Amino acid sequence: MDIQSIVGELITLLIMALALGMDAFSVGLGMGLIKLRLRQIFYIGVTIGVFHIWMPLVGMLIGRLLTDTFGTIATLLGGGLLILLGAQMIFASFKKGEEPLITPVGFGLIVFALSVSLDSFSVGLSLGIYGAKTFLTVAIFGVVSMVLTWIGLLVGKRVQNWLGSYSEALGGAILLAFGIKLLLPF
């Protein structure tokens, strides 16, 4: 592998991590409106980062098994999953009046982190089918989502929830574009 393809893959993974992290950012932005201490914000970000590591990891492992079994069909399914996930994120961003039903404390934090990171499972599945580097992928996803969650929570403490739906729509559009790229390699 030459340096150009390594840099290209790193940039692609970073953009995907940003797309997935936009969901965590937008939810963090809304959660930031709840009175949270900095210590709570730290734990929320770390927990979401950990979930964004193990969810795509499980997805990648299952995706690799599918690749060994189904080959090209699995690649098409992976692209389709990314397209569906991106479209779902875009449509969800237009829903109005959805307030968080749980607070990010204790078991609620686990449910919160799981709900925010479920989309990373599907992306991990697609990347496993595609054959992405496992450690690099989950490390980037975890760190980026943790930092974006922290930023969302801190910004949410300062401003109203005016950017949340736009960031989720942007994240969905990026995932949609990567799904199309998998289906139509160019």
Side-chain angles (χ1 to χ4, degrees):
M1 218 177 189
D2 64 350
I3 190 77
Q4 186 177 5
S5 62
I6 292 172
V7 170
E9 184 174 357
L10 186 63
I11 289 171
T12 299
L13 289 174
L14 191 57
I15 291 170
M16 289 185 91
L18 286 169
L20 286 172
M22 288 293 185
D23 194 28
F25 171 79
S26 64
V27 173
L29 194 60
M31 283 291 185
L33 298 174
I34 300 170
K35 285 198 173 258
L36 298 172
R37 296 185 309 265
L38 288 179
R39 184 178 191 164
Q40 289 173 301
I41 289 172
F42 174 78
Y43 287 129
I44 292 167
V46 168
T47 303
I48 289 173
V50 167
F51 272 77
H52 271 83
I53 289 173
W54 76 266
M55 291 294 281
L57 180 61
V58 170
M60 289 178 81
L61 295 174
I62 292 171
R64 291 230 168 91
L65 291 173
L66 288 176
T67 298
D68 292 342
T69 308
F70 299 109
T72 305
I73 296 171
T75 302
L76 295 174
L77 289 173
L81 279 173
L82 282 176
I83 290 171
L84 288 173
L85 179 62
Q88 183 272 331
M89 284 178 67
I90 291 169
F91 289 125
S93 71
F94 293 109
K95 292 181 180 175
K96 303 268 192 248
E98 289 188 4
E99 296 294 324
L101 299 175
I102 58 169
T103 58
V105 178
F107 183 71
L109 176 56
I110 301 298
V111 172
F112 175 62
L114 181 63
S115 67
V116 170
S117 64
L118 276 176
D119 53 352
S120 64
F121 172 80
S122 299
V123 172
L125 183 64
S126 301
L127 289 172
I129 291 168
Y130 185 68
K133 291 174 179 53
T134 305
F135 178 76
L136 181 64
T137 301
V138 296
I140 290 173
F141 284 8
V143 169
V144 169
S145 66
M146 178 177 62
V147 169
L148 285 175
T149 301
W150 286 338
I151 292 170
L153 288 165
L154 292 171
V155 169
K157 283 181 72 145
R158 306 270 190 268
V159 298
Q160 297 300 317
N161 195 9
W162 56 273
L163 184 62
S165 63
Y166 296 115
S167 63
E168 188 174 354
L170 176 61
I174 291 170
L175 290 179
L176 184 74
F178 277 109
I180 292 170
K181 183 181 183 308
L182 273 180
L183 291 178
L184 306 171
F186 42 86

